[in-house]
Amino acid sequence: MDQTTGADGYLGGISLIARNGRIVDWRAYGYRDLARSRPLQRDDIFRIYSMSKTVTSVAVLMLMEEGKFALDDPISRYLPGFDAPRVVAGGSIDAPRLRPAARPITIRHLLTHTAGFAAGRPGDDIALALLQRADPHAARDLRGFVERLSRVPLAADPGTRFGYDGAALETLARLVEVGSGLSFDDFLRQRVFAPLRMRDTGFSVPAAQRARVVDITRMGDDGHLGLDDGPSAREPGAPLNAYPSGAGGLYSTAGDYLRFCQMLLAGGTLDGQTLLGRKTVELMMRNHLTMLNPPVTQFSDAEGFGLGGYVVLDPALRGQPGSVGQFGWSGAASTSYTIDPQERLVAILLLQHLPREDRADLPRVARRFYGLVYQGLVP
């Protein structure tokens, strides 16, 4: 991490490792700001983007335990507009040929990215263009997002492929609102963050705490590191979306996210606060892609997907130390976590950089970091 956050590397980063319920390593490296003038602190605040998805999944499962809905319920039972989903079967963007979907979209499909929404997979071009034309991200609230999404045809039949996307999680966030009677941000604040004492986690950062938000960088066309040109970079701590995004809208800290992970590792309870039952957490961390052949994600032949994160199926095929059943996910700006029930381990790595695929960029370090974590394990 010292090398990674050197003069030509990432601005700064935080590593946090806990085993058997005890923190064994928690360090901040480098700096918080592009000028490299303010050393990074362990409690600094990061945009965790898609690590929000696991939090959203937990919220849905909490309501399932209360009997609000069931895993294989069609979402049309709770959300209007999804009664007769259609799938793109050809044609063009201006004249798409559509057919009825083979089955309804269920809550399980949303949790496992198998609903069939356009996700940039081969053959998704028309469906993706239609999704972009509907522009659900321009909605002012989750209700509006889902209303726009419901009018867009699917790219594939539900339950026939894994296609990673954000639309499913925004739909789940709206489902939480419908099932609980609360806004999504209020539900998380009251039912998840407050009980777990995740004081610095939310969809925005209070003005008095915004100096703790880490600068978010991107490699410039000139080959030099610079601030990302987005609203979150220009106004750190401001909401990342007009609506509370269950797909990627949260800010958090390493310490806060550790408490969330420790709750899951402990079977749904932390410090006397129970969010989920033990068997629900076990179900969450099982591979739910068994309807696919092979039952894996689009990212790795060694990973399946549970309810909110990857599930390691074969560490050898994955090519790095780990455990069968290891669970976790990452965020777009170089944040990631893993939970290993077999080793009673949580490891978190937080950086704040949006990688580019189109040119030379900073080296990806997560794979090496988690490899070193596992290589350091002793009985």
Side-chain angles (χ1 to χ4, degrees), residues 22-362:
R22 182 173 66 89
I23 295 174
V24 296
D25 180 84
W26 185 6
R27 304 184 195 184
Y29 301 81
Y31 296 89
R32 178 193 298 158
D33 60 324
L34 184 62
R36 300 183 191 259
S37 63
R38 293 179 293 161
L40 190 67
Q41 305 299 312
R42 295 195 312 180
D43 66 346
D44 278 342
I45 299 170
F46 290 73
R47 305 156 191 82
I48 62 170
Y49 289 122
S50 286
M51 285 167 56
S52 307
K53 290 179 168 70
T54 315
V55 179
T56 302
S57 300
V58 164
V60 172
L61 294 174
M62 291 170 68
L63 291 173
M64 284 188 181
E65 287 194 337
E66 295 171 9
K68 302 297 185 183
F69 28 70
L71 195 59
D72 291 312
D73 282 350
I75 63 172
S76 59
R77 187 174 298 176
Y78 311 100
L79 301 174
F82 291 95
D83 302 86
R86 298 174 298 165
V87 179
V88 173
S92 65
I93 296 171
D94 294 319
R97 188 170 72 254
L98 307 178
R99 61 170 176 80
R103 61 188 60 83
I105 302 171
T106 67
I107 296 173
R108 188 196 300 263
H109 292 145
L110 296 177
L111 286 164
T112 58
H113 297 280
T114 58
F117 295 132
R121 300 299 306 268
D124 279 11
D125 295 357
I126 295 174
L128 184 59
L130 294 170
L131 178 63
Q132 292 169 343
R133 181 177 292 178
D135 196 11
H137 296 288
R140 298 191 60 81
D141 55 24
L142 288 166
R143 180 198 293 269
F145 184 102
V146 171
E147 286 176 350
R148 294 186 185 209
L149 181 67
S150 69
R151 299 193 291 268
V152 180
L154 302 175
D157 282 310
T160 61
R161 70 170 198 184
F162 181 90
Y164 183 66
D165 69 275
L169 274 294
E170 309 298 23
T171 305
L172 288 170
R174 175 59 184 156
L175 193 68
V176 170
E177 293 186 332
V178 172
S180 68
L182 298 170
S183 68
F184 185 55
D185 49 345
D186 281 346
F187 182 91
L188 292 187
R189 185 166 52 250
Q190 296 174 26
R191 300 288 306 278
V192 179
F193 302 149
L196 293 180
R197 302 201 305 274
M198 297 171 66
R199 299 184 178 93
D200 291 312
T201 302
F203 292 104
S204 64
V205 178
Q209 302 300 323
R210 289 190 176 184
R212 294 166 53 200
V213 180
V214 180
D215 279 351
I216 183 167
T217 60
R218 190 177 182 90
M219 187 63 69
D221 293 338
D222 60 0
H224 292 94
L225 202 62
L227 289 181
D228 177 52
D229 185 26
S232 169
R234 293 190 294 269
E235 190 181 355
L240 300 172
N241 303 81
Y243 50 84
S245 170
L250 288 174
Y251 291 87
S252 192
T253 64
D256 273 12
Y257 210 83
L258 173 67
R259 294 190 61 78
F260 177 74
C261 292
Q262 290 282 37
M263 176 273 296
L264 291 175
L265 183 61
T269 298
L270 184 68
D271 295 339
Q273 297 291 326
T274 296
L275 272 66
L276 290 173
R278 177 172 60 86
K279 300 306 288 188
T280 300
V281 176
E282 290 179 7
L283 180 69
M284 182 180 181
M285 296 189 181
R286 295 287 190 269
N287 182 25
H288 285 254
L289 301 184
T290 53
M291 80 292 280
L292 306 181
N293 185 21
V296 297
T297 73
Q298 71 200 75
F299 306 115
S300 172
D301 289 339
E303 294 176 2
F305 202 83
L307 305 178
Y310 67 71
V311 178
V312 174
L313 305 178
D314 188 337
L317 181 61
R318 198 168 180 242
Q320 65 183 112
S323 300
V324 173
Q326 179 185 340
F327 180 92
W329 203 241
S330 59
S334 309
T335 64
S336 57
Y337 77 93
T338 199
I339 301 170
D340 188 332
Q342 182 175 319
E343 294 290 346
R344 307 298 298 168
L345 170 75
V346 173
I348 297 170
L349 177 65
L350 300 182
L351 303 161
Q352 202 72 143
H353 177 75
L354 290 163
R356 295 181 61 161
E357 303 289 350
D358 61 338
R359 63 180 58 251
D361 201 348
L362 298 176

